Amino acid sequence: MTVFEVARPSLREVPFYAPDATSCAVDLRDNANLWGAPPAALAALRSIDPTALSLYPGVSAGALTDAIARYVGVNPTEVAAGCGSDDLIDATFRAVAEPGAVLAHPAPSFSMVPIFARLNGLQPVAVPLTPDGAADADAMLATGARIIYLCSPNNPTGTVTPADVVRRIVRESSAIVILDGAYAEFAPGLEDLLKEAPAFGRLLVLRTFSKAWGLAGLRVGYAVGSAELIRAVRKSNGPYKVNAVAERAACVALAEDADWMRARAADAVVSRERVTQALRALGLTPLDSRGNFVCVPVSDSRALAARLAERGVAVRAFAGLPVFGDVLRVGMGPWPVREQFIGAVREALACT
Ligand code: PMP
């Protein structure tokens, strides 16, 4: 029998996004909001107008991009919304680079970035973070990449790249620079460049409703940049990427749940500081995270994650990362969750 290959040859080499599926009573594998969903958005979903289901939503989520523009303080033509910020990363790669172009990204960083690059025929080039976890500007610039992706606070390390470094990378390259701020709400005081992005022309800042806003299940993200860049992203993304139900909830959240969001983000920051201290007290050396998670280097992340899972706590294990080696990434949650995690680590370390 002739083997008929349906996928294009270069797709065969691209891995599936397949995070470890071990689930436990306490699940700290994702960086979603473990304090739940925002109350006004939830109420709006419970009384949704049925036409939101029977009719098409706006082609480019106009009501939501207007609301985001007001919230951020930019023009609606400088905002694009998508099915999570994943969707916008993917659409931007396709919008601004021809197949074969180089995309530089920090390593370690968000694991979907090299995958989306290869899905779009781009050549991902991993540039190790500096030892303090910032993007290495000189090395990024030396790649001559068409796209430079940056993530601050960075997933999975939680470390940040100062805004001045981002500005320098934009100034000294001719690349389209993407600054992924999925965790920016957990780093108050960190300059985020959101409002400044349109004036740079080549800088796109990404944000999401999946983390601080507690709406990961609805899949809504947004991008802010110059009108020209946003137009290209929207064209590449295609129509109807934000469904009507998600759009309604995100609009209500922006209008009525911002205080809730800030309070829960502050809870996550407190949780992060306490967990960091508790891990230090156990002799570990967690990184200085500004996200809603803690990243802790360990000697064998998979073995330790397995011992934590036996104790009912699931965390994300990364093995052999550039710069940091094996790490556990642990999402933050309310007090009982935090206590269970620390208790499980104490026991797991005691039996090594
Ligand atoms: N960027 C970063 C850095 C992330 O960690 C994630 C989710 N893990 C995303 C983007 C995608 O988020 P979403 O598609 O839910 O907006």
Side-chain angles (χ1 to χ4, degrees):
M1 196 178 73
T2 322
V3 179
F4 177 71
E5 292 285 357
V6 290
R8 65 174 212 255
S10 56
L11 191 70
R12 275 178 238 148
E13 313 304 320
V14 182
F16 259 105
Y17 178 68
D20 176 14
T22 313
S23 96
C24 291
V26 174
D27 191 345
L28 308 175
R29 289 171 304 158
D30 289 326
N31 302 329
N33 193 329
L34 295 185
W35 281 266
L42 198 54
L45 287 176
R46 291 203 166 106
S47 58
I48 197 102
D49 177 347
T51 59
L53 279 72
S54 58
L55 302 181
Y56 276 96
V59 171
S60 293
L64 179 58
T65 49
D66 283 356
I68 292 167
R70 269 195 306 278
Y71 180 78
V72 174
V74 295
N75 195 299
T77 56
E78 295 164 340
V79 178
C83 177
S85 44
D86 271 349
D87 179 33
L88 293 162
I89 293 172
D90 183 37
T92 305
F93 288 2
R94 210 163 39 246
V96 303
E98 292 291 357
V102 169
L103 173 140
H105 65 89
S109 192
F110 181 33
S111 59
M112 276 308 295
V113 166
I115 297 181
F116 280 133
R118 290 162 75 182
L119 289 175
N120 286 294
L122 308 183
Q123 219 184 300
V125 173
V127 177
L129 291 171
T130 62
D132 64 354
D136 183 336
D138 290 329
M140 284 277 180
L141 290 166
T143 63
R146 169 64 185 161
I147 304 178
I148 297 179
Y149 169 89
L150 303 167
C151 186
S152 181
N154 184 54
N155 177 11
T157 57
T159 50
V160 298
T161 294
D164 275 345
V165 174
V166 180
R167 289 192 187 96
R168 181 184 157 215
I169 290 174
V170 179
R171 215 175 37 239
E172 295 183 18
S173 72
S174 54
I176 303 292
V177 179
I178 299 174
L179 174 62
D180 187 338
Y183 302 98
E185 288 88 351
F186 305 104
L190 178 71
E191 229 191 320
D192 65 13
L193 298 174
L194 196 56
K195 255 185 105 161
E196 266 181 70
F200 280 101
R202 286 182 289 107
L203 175 65
L204 192 74
V205 179
L206 299 178
R207 301 294 273 268
T208 181
F209 283 86
S210 298
K211 316 292 180 187
W213 288 97
L215 293 172
L218 290 183
R219 314 297 304 121
V220 188
Y222 64 94
V224 176
S226 64
E228 195 187 347
L229 185 50
I230 289 297
R231 212 177 116 68
V233 172
R234 286 190 188 174
K235 186 194 273 189
S236 149
N237 199 24
Y240 310 123
K241 287 297 156 66
V242 180
N243 73 69
V245 175
E247 182 174 20
R248 175 82 194 120
C251 284
V252 172
L254 283 173
E256 299 177 42
D257 286 320
D259 287 343
W260 178 93
M261 181 278 286
R262 280 188 282 269
R264 297 296 78 75
D267 288 340
V269 169
V270 169
S271 183
R272 177 184 82 203
E273 300 313 320
R274 300 222 169 123
V275 167
T276 299
Q277 280 165 18
L279 291 174
R280 284 199 184 120
L282 291 172
L284 296 168
T285 51
L287 305 184
D288 185 14
S289 172
R290 305 290 303 279
N292 64 340
F293 53 87
V294 168
C295 178
V296 56
V298 293
S299 55
D300 184 341
S301 57
R302 293 203 175 111
L304 186 52
R307 286 200 297 276
L308 294 176
E310 283 162 17
R311 290 163 178 81
V313 178
V315 300
R316 184 84 77 215
F318 295 87
L321 294 180
V323 189
F324 300 102
D326 274 28
V327 304
L328 294 182
R329 192 195 67 196
V330 186
M332 293 298 103
W335 186 80
V337 166
R338 203 165 66 214
E339 291 302 293
Q340 268 171 284
F341 166 67
I342 294 297
V345 176
R346 191 175 292 119
E347 281 180 29
L349 290 177
C351 68
T352 51

